[in-house]
Amino acid sequence: TLWSGKKFDFHGECDLVLLRNDDFMNGLGMHIHIRTKIVTFFSAIEAIAIKIGDDVFEVQGGMDTEEKYTINGVEGGTLSYDANFAIAWENIKDYKRYEIRVDDNDHGGQIAMHLKIRNFMGLRFVHDTSEDIAAANFATSSGLMGDYMTGLKLGRNREVIEDTNAFAMAWQVGPEDPVLLSPKEGSVQHPDKCKMPSTTSRRLKAGAITEEEARSTCVGVEDLEDCIFDVVATNTVDVAKDYID
């Protein structure tokens, strides 16, 4: 999802720059990388790493990935007393949610993110982050969230890239990016390009959930089309719960 709220789908497998912002909090810096994994004809996030200042918080989980978190490479670690952000987590019904908060003393508020793990992993900036604080901190950001001020999909040289796959591949983690995600055997790494799903037919198998059934299951959720896609793709109605806070 772009800063503008516009959604796009990329189903490749590789490490990607979700957000790059060296100017965050007057030079403190924020970088967010994700690692995607092909499931069938789609991919899902299996790891998210967030670097603020000198500290890196990474979470792995979702689908068939064992859930764990590391702080500065230490599994189950803790932040130092002088860290520039705080982390809290809670179990809500049958999923876990991490909350990452950064105080913005210059503007009298906070930047907050929720990282949610259940069938899938997801990260979003929460709505209590005011527009003024967000604009002050993300005006120069780049990555898969696009340009904050215009909502456009921009490449590394700030060129507009309309094609979704080309845009995503432009933001594959490369040598110019910090190393945030833990090494994993078999993961797609630069200079290899993002792996794409096979073009095997997506025809429904006998007993598969139809789009109409998925729509009925997802009724009432905010991201209706995303929910329908995930229910059909995984053939699991339980996935709809990922869209309910």
Side-chain angles (χ1 to χ4, degrees):
T1 303
L2 300 170
W3 282 114
S4 63
K6 185 177 181 179
K7 298 179 181 296
F8 66 93
D9 290 323
F10 174 70
H11 293 297
E13 178 178 313
C14 52
D15 293 357
L16 298 161
V17 178
L18 182 65
L19 185 142
R20 182 181 71 181
N21 189 356
D22 293 325
D23 297 329
F24 179 75
M25 294 289 182
N26 296 318
L28 179 65
M30 175 186 286
H31 296 259
I32 304 176
H33 293 180
I34 60 175
R35 174 171 292 152
T36 57
K37 177 183 179 181
I38 293 174
V39 181
T40 51
F41 59 83
F42 69 98
S43 66
I45 298 172
E46 66 172 356
I48 299 175
I50 302 168
K51 182 177 187 288
I52 301 174
D54 295 325
D55 294 304
V56 179
F57 173 57
E58 179 183 4
V59 178
Q60 300 175 22
M63 297 301 288
D64 298 324
T65 303
E66 179 184 0
E67 182 190 330
K68 65 178 181 179
Y69 77 89
T70 62
I71 294 178
N72 297 325
V74 178
E75 186 174 343
T78 58
L79 291 168
S80 63
Y81 73 93
D82 58 349
N84 293 289
F85 62 100
I87 303 168
W89 57 86
E90 59 182 333
N91 291 308
I92 303 174
K93 295 181 181 178
D94 52 356
Y95 70 87
K96 177 174 282 188
R97 186 177 73 187
Y98 294 87
E99 182 174 84
I100 301 96
R101 287 190 175 270
V102 190
D103 288 328
D104 183 352
N105 296 321
D106 289 343
H107 299 90
Q110 290 183 324
I111 300 291
M113 294 172 278
H114 283 168
L115 192 162
K116 182 178 176 181
I117 306 174
R118 195 175 180 277
N119 294 289
F120 297 114
M121 292 183 67
L123 178 74
R124 66 182 179 90
F125 287 84
V126 298
H127 296 301
D128 61 353
T129 299
S130 75
E131 183 66 26
D132 289 343
I133 293 175
N137 285 289
F138 296 111
T140 61
S141 66
S142 55
L144 289 181
M145 294 185 71
D147 181 69
Y148 183 86
M149 303 304 292
T150 66
L152 295 173
K153 298 195 293 287
L154 300 183
R156 290 180 180 266
N157 296 316
R158 300 196 65 77
E159 73 280 17
V160 176
I161 304 178
E162 295 293 348
D163 181 79
T164 295
N165 286 350
F167 171 61
M169 289 183 179
W171 287 106
Q172 181 181 1
V173 173
E176 65 270 50
D177 300 305
V179 177
L180 305 187
L181 293 158
S182 301
K184 180 184 177 183
E185 184 177 357
S187 64
V188 179
Q189 299 295 322
H190 186 275
D192 293 338
K193 293 184 178 180
C194 300
K195 178 182 177 182
M196 298 302 292
S198 69
T199 55
T200 302
S201 173
R202 291 172 50 173
R203 288 177 297 179
L204 291 175
K205 299 178 182 178
I209 297 172
T210 66
E211 183 173 327
E212 291 73 20
E213 291 169 333
R215 185 175 297 275
S216 177
T217 299
C218 295
V219 66
V221 305
E222 182 177 351
D223 299 320
L224 179 60
E225 296 304 318
D226 288 348
C227 179
I228 292 170
F229 177 91
D230 288 347
V231 169
V232 172
T234 61
N235 198 35
T236 308
V237 297
D238 192 51
V239 168
K241 293 180 181 179
D242 282 13
Y243 291 87
I244 302 172
D245 285 331

